[in-house]
Amino acid sequence: MTEEEASIIDKNIAKKVSKYVRPAERKISSRQLKKIKNKKLKGTLDRIEKVSNEAAIKAARSEILLTEEPGYLEAEGIEKTFNITQKQLSENVDEDSTKKIFDLKLPTFGPYSLDYTRNGRHLVIGGRKGHVMSIDWMENKIKSEIHLKETVRDVKWLHNELFYAVAQKKYVFIYDHNGLEVHRLKKHIEVNKLDFLPYHFLLVSVGSAGWLKYQDTSTGKLVAELRTKLGGCDAIAQNPWNAIMHLGHYNGTVTLWSPNMSTPLVKMLTHKGPVKAVAVDHTGKYMATSGLDGQLKLWDIRTYKPLQQYYTRTPASSLSISQLGLLGVGWGPHVTIWKDAFLTKQQSPYMNHLQVGSQIQDIHFCPFDDVLGLGHSYGISSIIIPGSGEPNLDSLEANPYQSKKQRQEAEVHSLLDKIQPEMISLDSTFIGKVDGASKDLLDMERNEEQKAQRANEEKWVPKNKARGKNSSLKRYLRKKQKNVIDERKLKIQKRIKQEKEARRKRIMGNEDDKDRPKALERFSNKEL
């Protein structure tokens, strides 16, 4: 390798290092290191900074090993990519890619919703009229098939292909890969949409009652139960960057939720009518929303401002964003794919697909593959979208070709690395800060908070009820108030003590009353 080639490689690596270096506000500058007087602490922080920089350089260098590049459709001359049909693609691709284009016709139980596993290997479909099936679609093998004979609103895979959740007519049920019922979640009632946070092992549901619920699938506990106060909801999406849930409501707003807050973190007015679908890209920077007002809007989540706006002749029923940023829009019988839609205003779509005679219900891009799955009123379909999937996969993160042993070990490691729900926040890079206030200041603040809390408490006033052991007066006297001197309570106790003493004297008799004449003494014989 010549010096010029080496310098070119070093320049390319220097450009890529910025992706892996920590944000500037989290780094410790050399000037801050010099101000630290503790030599041991200074050396430790200096060593940590060096290790972090070396890790960023190694990560940038490892990109040289990623030899695969995404391939997009390229038109020649006056041709347009959106005019290319799936039939033309199947005639010009290899045999393995041709197998990825198929239609599964199930007109009896539709419309269908679907979901892919994280590695893109398995597919689960759920028909509105109760048909649920899990498939290894790469090998065209059916893993399980059940007929529930009741309404199915949504289906969702859990941490791997062994379990999936089904939102049925009243409750949410969890089934294993053989189609056997494992759990019934009674607290998730009339659920419309499901989602799963893989790094937190949280199953998220929202329904017609407007309650957002987080269920920990590793422990079985209900982590949070939040009332949105915005009515029913049937549009939900997670932000893969920070695990914040995005909900679309009937009043045209999109709210951002965390299980640690009872109120929405952010509330955005996105449409003039009900929100039909929400999607967030994998970088956590952009969001797409569609509403009944016929608008498709693209948003920058960092600033909460709109980027572009498109019009759909029929309100879009489903949205999906691929790993490489392609936006899929399902409206009526059509599916439209947009390329670089978040960067610039596009004049024409990247690809089009028409599902003749049916309505699109749900669409999902398959991870690590150039495939888009469609759920519609007559079954499901799979089409090829060149350039949608990530070509270089990380086998430690999601491996489509993993063995049984690898799957078991991956499950154990993911449980050990499980992130607690308390860590979910808008800024995923923020961990915490040390409170540098002195102990005296903290004690003074705590005392002021306690005084303000006591002042805000309403004073208890007893009600005048019938006398007895459970009278309001007795309850007032039994009330335990530590370190509180109540004058009214002392007066009542003194009066009760005096009444008891007078009653005792009346019964036992008093020595002072002996010299007093009795009422019938005048009729007695004084001589006797």
Side-chain angles (χ1 to χ4, degrees), residues 52 89 92-93 96 112 124 133 138 143 149 151 186 263 274 276 285 301 319 350 356 390 426 464 466 468 496 506:
S52 176
L89 280 175
N92 293 279
V93 296
D96 291 336
Y112 277 83
V124 61
M133 184 166 58
M138 288 188 177
K143 295 296 183 179
K149 298 181 180 180
T151 304
K186 290 185 177 180
T263 56
K276 290 289 291 179
K285 298 177 181 177
I301 304 177
L319 300 173
Y350 172 58
V356 181
E390 173 62 48
L426 275 176
N464 294 324
I496 291 174
R506 198 164 51 248

Side-chain angles (χ1 to χ4, degrees), residues 256-308:
L256 277 62
W257 292 85
S258 166
N260 308 314
M261 293 284 291
S262 60
T263 56
L265 303 175
V266 178
K267 194 173 182 180
M268 303 167 58
L269 181 61
T270 56
H271 293 275
K272 297 179 180 179
V275 179
K276 290 289 291 179
V278 182
V280 184
D281 79 323
H282 288 262
T283 62
K285 298 177 181 177
Y286 304 109
M287 178 180 69
T289 61
S290 65
L292 280 181
D293 55 356
Q295 299 292 328
L296 171 64
K297 295 185 179 181
L298 309 180
W299 303 81
D300 190 338
I301 304 177
R302 295 166 293 182
T303 58
Y304 306 108
K305 293 181 179 179
L307 297 174
Q308 278 89 32

